[in-house]
Amino acid sequence: KQEVTQIPAALSVPEGENLVLNCSFTDSAIYNLQWFRQDPGKGLTSLLLIQSSQREQTSGRLNASLDKSSGRSTLYIAASQPGDSATYLCAALYNTDKLIFGTGTRLQVFP
Amino acid sequence: DAGVIQSPRHEVTEMGQEVTLRCKPISGHDYLFWYRQTMMRGLELLIYFNNNVPIDDSGMPEDRFSAKMPNASFSTLKIQPSEPRDSAVYFCASSLSRERDTQYFGPGTRLTVL
């Protein structure tokens, strides 16, 4: 069964810290791995998409890595800010065309 | 582009009533997805379309749920009759291609069935 797990479920850090969010997937035959951000009461916003042939993607203070062999992806957030507070979801795309979502990590960055 | 548009944003209805959720995907996107999000089950794919054709509806929970895409710019998700356990946030998303492009999500419809 294709499952995606995210650890931790919640994280609270002071402003300025560098942090890592973890995502693991049971089936390594993915097409791509995507990271989304969801603010309370809002839809999902795409942050980064890593193709299966890639190792990492970067956008500003965000860096996402992918290790297919170990079934893991990490989202690194540098110099965190209160505006980064949100729920972060990873999702794996398989050949079934289905994005399998993790349950998310709820991040709070306090001043 | 205005992004994916969903209506209504909030819907409160009584058990047994018919509910219709609407979605307008981003122009030019070939794929349209309907998701449901609950605290217990997270985000679940209900059904998706490619070029207006339903490809996989295995996520549709029951026959009470149906979805249509009569043209490239409009889709509906209908629940008839609705039940309290259908209460959730329903998202529509669209994408240009399957593998290379991310899915763009609408703001969602928060459905409450009393």
Side-chain angles (χ1 to χ4, degrees), chain B residues 20-67:
Chain B
T20 299
L21 311 181
R22 297 172 176 79
C23 174
K24 176 179 168 53
I26 293 174
S27 177
H29 282 192
D30 294 332
Y31 286 84
L32 183 140
F33 307 83
W34 281 102
Y35 291 90
R36 178 172 68 175
Q37 186 177 40
T38 61
M39 289 292 292
M40 291 295 294
R41 301 174 67 90
L43 260 170
E44 301 174 286
L45 177 67
L46 300 177
I47 184 173
Y48 79 93
F49 296 81
N50 178 217
N51 292 321
N52 312 338
V53 177
I55 303 301
D56 187 341
D57 65 354
S58 60
M60 298 285 261
E62 299 172 34
D63 292 343
R64 298 183 296 107
F65 287 68
S66 63

Side-chain angles (χ1 to χ4, degrees), chain A residues 31-32 34 36 38 41-46 48-49 51 89 93-99 101-103, chain B residues 9 31 33 35 37 43 45 48 55-56 58-59 91 98-108 110:
Chain A
Y31 278 101
N32 64 48
Q34 303 180 34
F36 294 86
Q38 186 175 26
K42 301 288 181 62
L44 278 69
T45 300
S46 176
L48 291 164
L49 183 154
Q51 299 293 347
L89 295 144
L93 179 67
Y94 291 95
N95 62 359
T96 54
D97 279 345
K98 292 182 179 180
L99 259 185
F101 280 86
T103 50
Chain B
R9 293 294 311 277
Y31 286 84
F33 307 83
Y35 291 90
Q37 186 177 40
L43 260 170
L45 177 67
Y48 79 93
I55 303 301
D56 187 341
S58 60
F91 289 104
R98 179 171 73 101
E99 296 176 30
R100 292 187 301 279
D101 299 285
T102 190
Q103 294 182 17
Y104 294 86
F105 280 73
R110 181 172 296 277

Side-chain angles (χ1 to χ4, degrees), chain A residues 63-86:
Chain A
N63 176 276
S65 66
L66 175 63
D67 184 344
K68 282 182 58 178
S69 60
S70 65
R72 294 178 188 274
S73 176
T74 61
L75 178 67
Y76 176 82
I77 303 177
S80 58
Q81 303 171 357
D84 295 330
S85 298

